[in-house]
Amino acid sequence: MGHRSESSWVPSVTLLVGIGNADIAALLLGADGRVRGDADMVFAGQPVHPSGAVRHKNGSLVLALHEVEAEVERIVIAGPAITGSLAAMAPDRAVVVAWLIAHPDDANAVVFGEFFRESGGWKFTGIGKGYASGLAELVTAYGVEVAEEEPVAAPMKKAFPGAMEKPVAEAAATPPAAAPANGPVPLTGVVKVPMHAPPTPGGPQATRGGAGAVGEPVAPDPSVFPPAEREYRLLEGWEFGPVFEPFVVTGTGSDVITTDARVPAGPVLVEVAHQGGGYFAVVPLDKRNKDGISLFSTTIPDYRGSTVTPAPEDRPLRLRLEGDNDWVARVKPVAAARRLEGTLLGYGEEALLYMGGAADLRVDFKGSPGGGGCVSLWVHEVTGQVELTHVGRTLALNTSGQILQTVPIPEGPALLLLTAEGPWSLTVRELGF
């Protein structure tokens, strides 16, 4: 997965940008920091920029950074004042921007952040500037002429119209087969796990903290994880563990969360993100309500990571989170983990699925921000359900400091659990025999 904070480089590719339930807009600015005309504002009522490089789609934005006109120096992302997270996803589904947003006091509209040119490439910086008078005041500050009889706020709905969609290149894939409404999930074909569908009565909801209690429902937050529906294929004989709607909780500081009935027993994917610096840890609680083996323990700023842990059969999965700032925790099917194909870039801990043949895996670990840092890789060979036992488990790598090393991995399917205190890249080279 990607790991970005303010003023960080982003790839010059097509990005899908979204902020939870907000219907957002883009302002394309010249060197003077102003739009060249009203056409440089892209929103629901004006969904495509004349250049075609910026498009509004289902409340989100598609930014083809490599196609943006040379005269455009900055792309401002703005919308209604909310608390949430701005996430930008590349075509390979890597999250390259993750920016947590706090609701500014007395603001009705916010500039969340901007993409800007630097040294021939693009960077992103978070802003979070609020405008008390709303969107009309915001867009006027960037040179958009607002007619009094045409309220600017109308196109920017706070109601989320639907799940964010993938860029056109991604959407061109073969449509997935629908899962049956009742009965078992098929072992072949494609299953879609909705990542951020609006909460419905009796349906999946995110909760805000509260020691695992039902709490006050809030609209699911994209946090720093891929905001689109993730498609994944089930292999015959391997169900990747249970399939269910994601369970999402947001909170601040230290807390205990308890999953609800949607999370069945079996191996599950746990994704977390923690804003800012300080210590952050996630520990499962056993049936005596005591700490188990830690899932995450880090001081990396703006941390994000994923791993796999078993959900117990006789009780809900309970997790103790210890942190100083805002965080998001997700419990999802193991099948929602990223696939290890070609070259993947990431930061920190991540669970990956490998489906290819026997291969050499090139590991490029950059080390921790302060130097040193540890990296390890466990490979779990899978037959049938995912099992996190010593059987079929191999410690392929365990070292410290910056490395560039090749390790062998067996034929998939396999679950890879990578732990790294810094940025890394993995490159698969199948043997072909």
Side-chain angles (χ1 to χ4, degrees), residues 338-363:
R338 265 209 300 173
R339 299 294 174 87
L340 177 57
E341 298 173 335
T343 298
L344 286 185
L345 303 179
Y347 195 111
E349 291 155 294
E350 185 165 1
L352 301 166
L353 297 177
Y354 178 63
M355 310 300 187
D360 290 333
L361 182 65
R362 190 69 165 170
V363 181

Side-chain angles (χ1 to χ4, degrees), residues 282-298:
V282 179
V283 181
L285 297 173
D286 64 20
K287 61 183 179 182
R288 296 193 298 160
N289 212 32
K290 299 184 68 173
D291 285 353
I293 298 175
S294 177
L295 301 181
F296 305 96
S297 179
T298 181

Side-chain angles (χ1 to χ4, degrees), residues 59-108:
S60 306
L61 293 167
V62 179
L63 310 182
L65 296 180
H66 57 297
E67 298 177 2
V68 175
E69 299 162 296
E71 295 81 4
V72 175
E73 294 287 335
R74 296 157 56 195
I75 302 176
V76 169
I77 310 299
I82 62 168
T83 297
S85 301
L86 181 150
M89 183 173 65
D92 65 355
R93 300 180 184 176
V95 177
V96 299
V97 169
W99 177 249
L100 290 169
I101 301 161
H103 191 309
D105 294 336
D106 302 322
N108 291 308

Side-chain angles (χ1 to χ4, degrees), residues 173-178 190-192 231:
T174 303
V190 177
V191 177
K192 298 181 74 175
E231 298 176 1

Side-chain angles (χ1 to χ4, degrees), residues 7 73-75 114-118 121-125:
S7 298
E73 294 287 335
R74 296 157 56 195
I75 302 176
E114 68 178 19
F115 296 85
F116 62 95
R117 294 187 189 272
E118 184 170 309
W122 287 90
K123 284 182 130 182
F124 171 82
T125 188

Side-chain angles (χ1 to χ4, degrees), residues 131-286:
Y131 290 80
S133 298
L135 292 166
E137 179 189 7
L138 186 157
V139 300
T140 300
Y142 291 100
V144 176
E145 296 183 4
V146 180
E148 293 183 2
E149 68 274 15
E150 297 180 2
V152 176
M156 308 272 287
K157 300 171 291 186
K158 289 193 177 183
F160 188 56
M164 294 170 59
E165 295 185 12
K166 293 178 287 184
V168 173
E170 288 287 311
T174 303
N182 297 295
V185 176
L187 295 182
T188 58
V190 177
V191 177
K192 298 181 74 175
V193 176
M195 301 285 291
H196 309 293
T200 56
Q205 294 176 327
T207 59
R208 169 69 68 171
V214 174
E216 178 184 355
V218 297
D221 188 327
S223 140
V224 296
F225 304 111
E229 290 184 344
R230 182 191 295 276
E231 298 176 1
Y232 57 91
R233 295 187 179 276
L234 300 181
L235 295 183
E236 184 174 358
W238 183 28
E239 299 177 358
F240 296 93
V243 176
F244 55 93
E245 294 289 332
F247 174 83
V248 185
V249 179
T250 63
T252 301
S254 298
D255 206 343
V256 175
I257 63 174
T258 303
T259 58
D260 59 21
R262 91 191 68 173
V263 180
V268 295
L269 181 72
V270 178
E271 294 180 332
V272 296
H274 179 249
Q275 180 187 24
Y279 180 67
F280 180 66
V282 179
V283 181
L285 297 173
D286 64 20

